[in-house]
Amino acid sequence: EAQVTQNPRYLITVTGKKLTVTCSQNMNHEYMSWYRQDPGLGLRQIYYSMNVEVTDKGDVPEGYKVSRKEKRNFPLILESPSPNQTSLYFCASSPIRQGAKSSYGYTFGSGTRLTVV
Amino acid sequence: AQSVTQPDIHITVSEGASLELRCNYSYGATPYLFWYVQSPGQGLQLLLKYFSGDTLVQGIKGFEAEFKRSQSSFNLRKPSVHWSDAAEYFCAVGPTAGYSTLTFGKGTMLLVSP
């Protein structure tokens, strides 16, 4: 089954304790992205990657890191989490438009609800 | 820069009634347009998308959307709402040049009353 898998689904952590949220897709998509979702603010992009070793900042990158060492994986790293990073996080992937217009559009993971206390 | 406006934060519709969710976009040309649905506790699922051609697009679960260039709109419709349609709906726009980054509206929460 074509899917984007995020882990964990739920995470409670303490301020300053480094954590990683994993994201993996099995569709051979070039493009991957992380969003956070907060009430009243909708989805805001954190980082995105257009291919292996190619990443760029989205709208709200502060406090986050990413890496793209393999095409299928795109982990989100919080080096020193703070309470304002409490949110619902989504990973998404998509083929690059030029190569696959008919399938262009995001496939989302099920989300990771992070609480930082 | 591209942007998406969903003017209604909440909408309540009676079961069996028709539904229209509004979406307006700002973009320099005709963009790619999408509607996603998020059920409680779930990720976002693609309902339908518009690239070009026929301005009336059919999607899953009985939804359709109409692209109106003159109004910069892409409104989502369903003729008869079911209780299971209660969810949050997001409109998104993507550029026709460059890569795949989508910009999302802030969402419309649909409540279905008996």
Side-chain angles (χ1 to χ4, degrees):
Chain A
E1 180 189 355
Q3 60 185 358
V4 176
T5 303
Q6 288 180 236
N7 281 297
R9 288 292 307 274
Y10 302 91
L11 179 59
I12 301 174
T13 190
V14 296
T15 299
K17 185 177 181 181
K18 180 180 179 180
L19 66 91
T20 300
V21 183
T22 63
C23 174
S24 180
Q25 51 96 2
N26 62 1
M27 296 164 283
N28 201 35
H29 287 168
E30 295 85 359
Y31 185 94
M32 297 185 75
S33 181
W34 278 102
Y35 284 82
R36 61 178 289 174
Q37 184 180 22
D38 302 288
L41 298 177
L43 288 155
R44 295 179 292 168
Q45 190 179 49
I46 303 170
Y47 270 94
Y48 64 95
S49 169
M50 292 183 289
N51 216 323
V52 176
E53 303 292 359
V54 181
T55 64
D56 208 348
K57 297 177 181 178
D59 299 318
V60 289
E62 295 77 19
Y64 304 95
K65 285 177 57 177
V66 293
S67 69
R68 188 93 182 271
K69 293 184 170 53
E70 304 166 280
K71 196 172 186 179
R72 63 183 292 122
N73 296 323
F74 190 46
L76 179 69
I77 302 157
L78 285 72
E79 294 270 1
S80 182
S82 63
N84 65 12
Q85 292 178 298
T86 293
S87 186
L88 179 58
Y89 291 86
F90 287 103
C91 180
S93 73
S94 173
I96 294 293
R97 184 184 311 106
Q98 291 86 342
K101 182 178 179 180
S102 63
S103 58
Y104 170 52
Y106 287 179
T107 299
F108 281 89
S110 298
T112 296
R113 185 166 293 281
L114 172 65
T115 302
V116 183
V117 298
Chain B
Q2 60 202 41
S3 66
V4 178
T5 301
Q6 293 180 246
D8 303 304
I9 299 174
H10 296 99
I11 281 186
T12 300
V13 175
S14 298
E15 189 168 16
S18 64
L19 168 70
E20 182 169 28
L21 302 182
R22 297 183 290 165
C23 172
N24 293 96
Y25 67 88
S26 174
Y27 189 69
T30 300
Y32 294 152
L33 294 160
F34 306 80
W35 275 101
Y36 287 83
V37 60
Q38 184 182 24
S39 298
Q42 303 297 315
L44 282 81
Q45 180 183 22
L46 180 66
L47 280 177
L48 47 79
K49 56 189 176 184
Y50 172 79
F51 287 160
S52 62
D54 192 346
T55 57
L56 187 62
V57 180
Q58 302 298 320
I60 62 171
K61 304 185 181 188
F63 285 92
E64 66 180 25
E66 185 172 14
F67 169 63
K68 292 186 177 180
R69 184 192 309 273
S70 62
Q71 298 176 18
S72 297
S73 69
F74 188 57
N75 294 348
L76 182 71
R77 301 195 295 244
K78 186 170 185 179
S80 178
V81 169
H82 187 262
W83 63 266
S84 61
D85 293 324
E88 190 159 22
Y89 292 79
F90 292 91
C91 182
V93 59
T96 54
Y99 290 98
S100 302
T101 293
L102 299 187
T103 299
F104 288 82
K106 293 186 178 181
T108 297
M109 181 65 73
L110 172 64
L111 306 173
V112 180
S113 61

